[in-house]
Amino acid sequence: MERPSRLVLLSELRVRNTTYDVSLSRSQLTWKRRVSSPVYHPFRPSVCHSVSVSEIISVREEEEENGSRRREDGSWKKIKEREEKDCRQAFTVLYVERCRQHRWRCAEVTFTCSDGPLCQHWISSIREQLATITSRPKHLLVYINPYGGKRQGKRIYEQKVAPLFAQAGVSTHVIVTEYANHARDHLKTEAELEKFDGVVCVGGDGMFSEIIHGLIWRTQIDNGVDPNCPDETLSGCSLRIGIIPAGSTDCICFATVGTNDPVTSALHIIVGDSQPMDVCSVHHNNTFLRYSVSLLGYGFYGDVLTDSERKRWMGPARYDLSGLKMFLTHHYYEGTVSYLPARGIIGTPRDAARCRSGCVVCQHNGQLHSERAESYEMDDMSNCESDGEWRTIRGKFLAINAASMSCACPRSPKGLSPAAHLADGTTDLILVRKCSRFDFLRHLLRHTSKDDQFDLTFVEVHRVRRFRFMPRHCQSDSELELDLQENSKHQIFSQICRDHPACGCAPAYSSWNCDGEILTHTAIDVRVHCQLINLFARGIEEPPVFEDLTNPCAI
């Protein structure tokens, strides 16, 4: 049991005309109602409240006039008129309150003091404790995508997020993007990053992808690292990234916070949470293509994205229609997968444990990766990744997926790889070999059930640090891009001619789905960079089974 923090302040204050013993330590603010009767009542409701100092948003001095006033949350707050008091004898503490399904909300409590000097002493003491929390951002660069999702990004920020930032004393520089990759280009060249403590994107996964591409590229250039070299060890980004969900897909936010709620994400930013995250670099012939943080999919998921891009007018429903269409066409693709297994780590892709806040697997494997990086610092990367460690698999595949996180979302609460970790320096390589439609459907349905989706004879999964893919028939880049464009013209008859490849109707190539973007090359080299970026998040918190007995309010 940890020793209790030193008491900073203890006073008798009133909350809604009820007397409380209020105490402030370096770690907690506690208010306990005074009980008039000394008789113990085991079934009496809790009369003690406690909040961590790290989750106090701000404290403000009350300046309202006597009488009734309407609070920001819509409820009515009554101030008794029978006592003539100084309006500055009360202060309000705004703090984080946990709700169901990992949601947070901004709650508040108002304390009334016996005199003005005591009130000022409390306000200054709380603010002094908040000032010691150096992880909290003070200046943020905010990018808003006004076109993503239901085009509600700007409204969500102005109505739900900006007021919270103002209450917490966080200053912002807001840029509303005007075209695709606006945020990426601005971060690469124009943004004065030294003025900010973090970057916030208001939008979906596409907007987040823009931010990481601009920020990582800028960091490598500033540190003299060549992004086009797949063997280069990338430099970590110093600025944390915040995500305010406002897109059609918000998988990154869901996987790191547990909910797609703008207020919850804003509060994680305000309290200064930090969650490291792995990033995969994707190269083709020593040329950089893209970064990936969630899913790289070839075959089924690549075909679904390619087909859905022609149906953008349908909105999110296009994914369902394209998914059904690609399931019925049932294409498979031949190729060679080479991968470098992750050795010496803890955790496997079929573990029952999930990546949660304070994940032991991420901490252990991240530390292991740092130690290896130091020992290999003077060695050539080709030596430390010797050819003897590589493994090769050839065959016909319906899908090749690399999941750097669980890829959980409201539709698939488990995700593609339920035991994947956010920051362990690995990705889960999932190979789905050619099988019947019925068997493939069984595999897909297991994403939404409690069954082990890898417990099938035609599915194999490997936890890897790096992998490469080469399609069976290697062509020149120009011919390959032409094929990817022409494949859609033959899909109507491709199933009829499945067993007659001589007619040329069955496509020889799929395309890679990289976090919702289509890659123009199929032969790729993918490397995982451990904990390259940090988010304003803390991972998904497990709901407490038992109340914490170290909390004095639990006794």
Side-chain angles (χ1 to χ4, degrees), residues 159-305:
Q159 296 183 9
K160 297 185 177 182
V161 179
L164 290 174
F165 284 167
Q167 288 176 335
V170 179
S171 65
T172 58
H173 177 65
V174 180
I175 297 177
V176 180
T177 59
E178 299 175 357
Y179 53 86
N181 293 320
H182 183 179
R184 182 200 67 183
D185 297 340
H186 184 263
L187 281 169
K188 277 186 174 182
T189 56
E190 301 176 32
E192 300 179 58
L193 300 181
E194 64 278 358
K195 294 183 178 180
F196 303 101
D197 304 313
V199 181
V200 175
C201 63
V202 183
D205 292 337
M207 187 63 176
F208 175 75
S209 180
E210 280 194 40
I211 297 298
I212 66 168
H213 277 81
L215 196 58
I216 295 175
W217 185 276
R218 173 76 170 269
T219 302
Q220 307 321 307
I221 298 302
D222 290 346
N223 287 276
V225 178
D226 181 11
N228 286 310
C229 179
D231 293 329
E232 284 271 19
T233 299
L234 301 184
S235 299
C237 300
S238 59
L239 293 182
R240 284 170 290 175
I241 304 172
I243 309 173
I244 304 297
S248 55
T249 58
D250 299 294
C251 294
I252 310 298
C253 184
F254 191 88
T256 55
V257 178
T259 182
N260 291 333
D261 176 49
V263 171
T264 301
S265 295
L267 293 176
H268 278 286
I269 296 171
I270 289 170
V271 301
D273 280 338
S274 183
Q275 169 63 53
M277 178 180 286
D278 298 335
V279 176
C280 292
S281 60
V282 185
H283 290 78
H284 170 77
N285 291 343
N286 293 322
T287 301
F288 169 76
L289 297 181
R290 288 191 70 86
Y291 295 115
S292 170
V293 295
S294 58
L295 173 68
L296 273 164
Y298 183 83
F300 178 74
Y301 289 102
D303 293 345
V304 168
L305 180 63

Side-chain angles (χ1 to χ4, degrees), residues 290-436:
R290 288 191 70 86
Y291 295 115
S292 170
V293 295
S294 58
L295 173 68
L296 273 164
Y298 183 83
F300 178 74
Y301 289 102
D303 293 345
V304 168
L305 180 63
T306 303
D307 187 75
S308 67
E309 285 299 299
R310 308 186 197 98
K311 303 178 175 65
R312 296 190 69 90
W313 56 272
M314 294 181 61
R318 67 185 185 272
Y319 297 113
D320 296 327
L321 180 59
S322 295
L324 175 62
K325 178 180 176 182
M326 291 303 105
F327 172 75
L328 294 176
T329 54
H330 201 59
H331 290 313
Y332 66 85
Y333 303 93
E334 296 185 61
T336 301
V337 179
S338 303
Y339 65 90
L340 195 63
R343 300 183 182 277
I345 64 170
I346 60 174
T348 69
R350 301 182 70 171
D351 287 340
R354 302 292 182 256
C355 186
R356 293 294 183 260
S357 181
C359 178
V360 177
V361 173
C362 291
Q363 292 175 5
H364 176 273
N365 294 347
Q367 180 64 29
L368 181 66
H369 182 274
S370 299
E371 294 172 356
R372 286 177 175 174
E374 292 177 2
S375 63
Y376 292 148
E377 196 171 26
M378 304 303 295
D379 297 335
D380 185 78
M381 183 58 66
S382 61
N383 293 332
C384 62
E385 293 182 359
S386 60
D387 292 337
E389 296 182 7
W390 285 85
R391 297 181 180 177
T392 301
I393 299 175
R394 297 179 178 85
K396 301 175 180 178
F397 305 98
L398 286 172
I400 301 173
N401 302 318
S404 299
M405 60 175 63
S406 67
C407 299
C409 63
R411 285 192 174 188
S412 178
K414 287 173 50 180
L416 290 181
S417 185
H421 289 268
L422 294 171
D424 67 341
T426 69
T427 187
D428 287 351
L429 182 62
I430 307 167
L431 308 177
V432 183
R433 294 181 180 273
K434 180 185 176 184
C435 62
S436 66

Side-chain angles (χ1 to χ4, degrees), residues 43-101:
F43 300 106
R44 174 173 289 172
S46 173
V47 293
C48 183
H49 306 272
S50 182
V51 59
S52 172
V53 170
S54 64
E55 294 182 359
I56 294 177
I57 299 168
S58 64
V59 57
R60 69 167 182 259
E61 190 176 16
E62 288 299 327
E63 297 181 354
E64 70 274 2
E65 298 297 330
N66 290 334
S68 299
R69 75 177 181 93
R70 190 163 181 88
R71 290 166 56 180
E72 291 182 0
D73 61 3
S75 61
W76 288 92
K77 181 178 180 180
K78 190 73 176 177
I79 299 179
K80 293 235 174 183
E81 297 181 1
R82 58 184 175 86
E83 297 180 5
E84 293 296 330
K85 297 178 292 192
D86 185 354
C87 63
R88 285 188 285 271
Q89 290 180 3
F91 65 93
T92 297
V93 176
L94 288 79
Y95 62 95
V96 170
E97 183 176 71
R98 286 166 172 76
C99 306
R100 294 181 177 179
Q101 298 178 336

